[in-house]
Amino acid sequence: MIPVQGVEGQTIAVLGLGRSGKATAAALAAGGANVIAWDDGNDTREAAAADGLTITDLTRDDAWQGVAALITSPGIPHLYPKPHPVIAKAYALGVPVDNDIGLFFRSYATADWEGFDRAPRVIAVTGSNGKSTTTALIHHILKEAGRPTQMGGNIGTGVLSLEPAEDGEVVVLELSSYQTELARALTPDVAVFTNLSPDHLDRHGGHGGYFAAKRRLFAEGGPDRAVIGVDEIEGLYLADQLSMGPADDRVIRVSSGQRLEGTAWSVFARKGHLAEYRKGRQAASIDLRAVTGLPGAHNHQNACAAYAACRAVGLAPREIEAAFRSFAGLPHRSQTVAEIGGVRYVNDSKATNVDAAAKALQAFDRIRWIAGGLGKEGGIGALAPCLGRVTKAYLIGHSARDFALEIGHTPYEIAETMEAAVAHAASEAEPGETVLLAPAAASFDQYPNFEKRGEHFTALVRALETR
């Protein structure tokens, strides 16, 4: 646990008592704060009270006497579509609102660091797609290189549940737009922007607000190095805003699919090969085609971002290349589950939007595509350029029939359930084909989350192996 600094003797309110809320309350108490807490769920409040937390109804005006700050969990709206009533009350009373990410960045550095030979570093990763894979890959590379490292944030451990820093340690954080938008302190040493595609637009008041939430990690934080994916206009804009000119090597531009020239430091992948250029000269090259844990152009972009971040903290190209080859990938993200009878089965349940599904479809040829669920606004018409790779689609869930109307002449069947989709795809697949779960939809019509959907697909595929 990382005790929160600067709160001793203060009354701090915590809103939301899920994983991050409970960890925040504990870290505040460890820092000497008097913690009061509230959650909208009665069962959650009772469980927290049983654990010793002081439950105070923050919807009441008399609860705010002497409260110095409100710390809210990331899933609770604080601006759009409208603020939670407790947050609105804090605004009206002039009580500062923050989250656990802000507390982490103001509390991670301690006086103990003066005795370290090498100061700890923080790498923070944000973006729309690929940030979990990029975060996990950076963490894996650091471990393989023998660097002390922890991983947390939106993946793995909550930030305040991380252990205090070791000498020379690198903490790798995945940060969502929900987390970056509100944090009052954002000071990573290296900040990574993977890409941007429409998502969570209701929460951010539109596409511009969504990008602005991501941009805060760079504009507010002033990282020593910024790794920026420049395959979209937002990335190009952000890199330009952060750079003082072509010779400024504080910005490392990253791309999958285009050669980057004319800037001081760039990392890009083309035709399966990663290249690093510094000051106009090639510094390294890695063949990514044989790295089974990173299939497809979207994962090659992740590889470039992770490579650049690790180079920014001093790792050598050969160390990074060796770690690439031992990276198994993340569950539910272009994860190869099995190869049965020459047919590859891939779980990309995390592909919950059109952009992520497109990247998954572009990574493979001759695809038996399992798609559907709770479709998102705008439908899947934008996937049309990718459908030439699809041999047949097996559509499931609430939006199956809507999807069928949008996939043109692509052969399909309405499978309804995952069981039927996997069974029919497996019976019809031929050697050399890929059965790909890339739903392009949320899971909530049939599953509590994308993880459970991916686990169900994986279990069904494992059952095929035993036949």
Side-chain angles (χ1 to χ4, degrees):
M1 179 195 301
I2 296 174
V4 177
Q5 297 185 41
V7 295
E8 187 172 359
Q10 297 181 12
T11 297
I12 309 292
V14 174
L15 177 63
L17 295 173
R19 183 190 68 157
S20 67
K22 289 189 289 188
T24 297
L28 285 164
N34 170 36
V35 179
I36 60 174
W38 182 251
D39 191 283
D40 291 338
N42 185 62
D43 291 346
T44 303
R45 294 196 300 269
E46 290 180 355
D51 289 338
L53 274 175
T54 300
I55 303 301
T56 301
D57 186 351
L58 295 174
T59 66
R60 296 171 57 92
D61 290 343
D62 57 9
W64 291 85
Q65 185 66 38
V67 173
L70 173 68
I71 312 301
T72 181
S73 294
I76 300 174
H78 60 268
L79 185 57
Y80 300 115
K82 64 179 182 179
H84 185 281
V86 169
I87 296 177
K89 189 174 290 292
Y91 293 160
L93 295 172
V95 174
V97 180
D98 203 349
N99 62 15
D100 60 337
I101 303 301
L103 297 181
F104 168 84
F105 276 111
R106 83 184 208 194
S107 303
Y108 184 54
T110 67
D112 293 340
W113 290 25
E114 295 178 7
F116 291 167
D117 292 329
R118 186 165 51 178
R121 313 282 295 278
V122 177
I123 299 174
V125 181
T126 196
S128 295
N129 298 307
K131 59 183 179 293
S132 293
T133 296
T134 300
T135 302
L137 180 56
I138 294 169
H139 180 59
H140 173 78
I141 294 166
L142 291 164
K143 284 198 300 182
E144 293 294 298
R147 294 285 293 271
T149 180
Q150 297 183 77
M151 179 175 68
N154 205 42
I155 183 174
T157 305
V159 288
L160 294 174
S161 295
L162 295 169
E163 294 299 318
E166 295 182 25
D167 193 334
E169 183 172 66
V170 181
V171 167
V172 191
L173 303 179
E174 177 192 337
L175 300 182
S176 72
S177 57
Y178 292 5
Q179 294 169 312
T180 58
E181 185 177 41
L182 187 61
R184 297 171 73 92
L186 286 167
T187 54
D189 299 282
V190 179
V192 180
F193 176 84
T194 58
N195 50 57
L196 197 80
S197 62
D199 209 358
H200 310 303
L201 300 190
D202 60 334
R203 175 66 184 265
H204 297 293
H207 194 73
Y210 178 51
F211 175 53
K214 302 287 189 184
R215 184 177 177 273
R216 286 193 78 244
L217 182 63
F218 304 84
E220 300 288 332
D224 295 335
R225 281 279 184 337
V227 176
I228 309 293
V230 296
D231 289 334
E232 293 90 24
I233 186 61
E234 292 87 355
L236 285 167
Y237 165 81
L238 183 57
D240 184 78
Q241 287 280 297
L242 296 172
S243 172
M244 296 301 293
D248 188 350
D249 68 356
R250 295 173 303 167
V251 177
I252 308 175
R253 290 166 173 83
V254 166
S255 173
S256 175
Q258 59 176 316
R259 182 185 180 92
L260 300 178
E261 296 180 305
T263 57
W265 199 347
S266 63
V267 180
F268 58 87
R270 295 181 70 228
K271 299 180 180 179
H273 288 82
L274 179 152
E276 177 190 5
Y277 274 75
R278 298 190 71 171
K279 299 180 179 178
R281 293 187 176 185
Q282 185 167 339
S285 177
I286 299 174
D287 187 348
L288 298 173
R289 294 172 298 177
V291 181
T292 58
L294 295 166
H298 63 303
N299 273 311
H300 292 174
Q301 184 188 54
N302 299 336
C304 289
Y307 177 96
C310 290
R311 291 286 283 139
V313 294
L315 268 61
R318 63 182 181 277
E319 294 178 292
I320 301 171
E321 180 175 8
F324 277 171
R325 302 194 184 284
S326 60
F327 183 65
L330 282 182
H332 319 302
R333 298 163 175 86
S334 293
Q335 174 196 20
T336 297
V337 175
E339 185 169 319
I340 305 170
V343 177
R344 186 177 185 180
Y345 292 81
V346 176
N347 167 21
D348 204 333
S349 183
K350 183 62 169 65
T352 58
N353 59 41
V354 165
D355 188 67
K359 289 178 169 60
L361 289 169
Q362 290 163 359
F364 307 97
D365 294 308
R366 300 175 59 196
I367 298 167
R368 302 275 173 176
W369 179 34
I370 300 175
L374 191 61
K376 297 190 174 182
E377 184 178 351
I380 61 167
L383 291 176
C386 308
L387 298 182
R389 297 169 176 264
V390 176
T391 302
K392 184 176 178 181
Y394 304 80
L395 304 176
I396 64 174
H398 178 271
S399 297
R401 287 166 178 79
D402 292 335
F403 279 21
L405 296 174
E406 295 186 77
I407 61 174
H409 298 294
T410 303
Y412 73 89
E413 68 174 77
I414 304 295
E416 300 282 3
T417 67
M418 187 71 75
E419 290 90 345
V422 171
H424 297 173
S427 67
E428 296 172 358
E430 299 178 357
E433 293 184 337
T434 297
V435 175
L436 171 67
L437 171 64
S443 60
F444 305 126
D445 58 330
Q446 295 178 312
Y447 302 92
N449 50 51
F450 75 83
E451 291 96 341
K452 292 298 182 184
R453 178 171 59 190
E455 289 167 6
H456 190 199
F457 172 81
T458 298
L460 292 168
V461 172
R462 298 290 187 209
L464 295 174
E465 291 182 296
T466 63
R467 291 182 182 177

